[in-house]
Amino acid sequence: GGDFDFSKLIGQVTHYKTLRTDTFDRKTVWASNVELGYIGGDVPVFERFYGGGIGSIRGFDYRGISPRQDPSATAVGGRFETFVGNEVSFPLVGKSLRGVTFLDMGTVEEDVGVTEWRAAAGLGIRLTIDYFGPIPMAFDFAWPISKGGDDDTEVFSFSLGAMFK
């Protein structure tokens, strides 16, 4: 009963591997995430793919990676997206403070293919507060290594909740 007729297909695989366990039974963990998506049909702008921000390619603004509409350079989203994220998480203090290093990369395109590949590397801190139940917080610093000409970037991002997509 809507005004649009489209299909959205998304495939995602995430793999976790323990790299090391210290004497306090704290683990250093490598997480790798790969996601591909395609949209077919008459898709509205708000249902299209956008990239950037936590859970996507850090180092870019939320929805900062997108095909643009000329001449206003307004982000209109894409029909094809690919994302590859790698993160190593390691203990710093106790069980509630961890450090991370990461490399995120991918693209958002109007059609299937890759015209501009984006990548960003960074580091961050993960803090879990157990007072009201486990509340995870993420503080990330990321720097784009490869970006498109119209991409919007950011160095610092913060989130409250899930930390790795």
Side-chain angles (χ1 to χ4, degrees), residues 96 127-137 160-161:
S96 60
L127 175 64
T128 304
I129 299 174
D130 290 324
Y131 188 68
F132 294 111
I135 300 173
M137 291 189 282
L160 186 64

Side-chain angles (χ1 to χ4, degrees), residues 13 22 26 37 51 70 88-89 99 106 113 116 120 129-130 136 151 155 165:
V13 175
D22 69 10
R26 301 177 306 176
D70 291 326
V88 175
S89 171
E116 292 185 284
I129 299 174
D130 290 324
D151 292 342
V155 172
K165 185 176 175 183

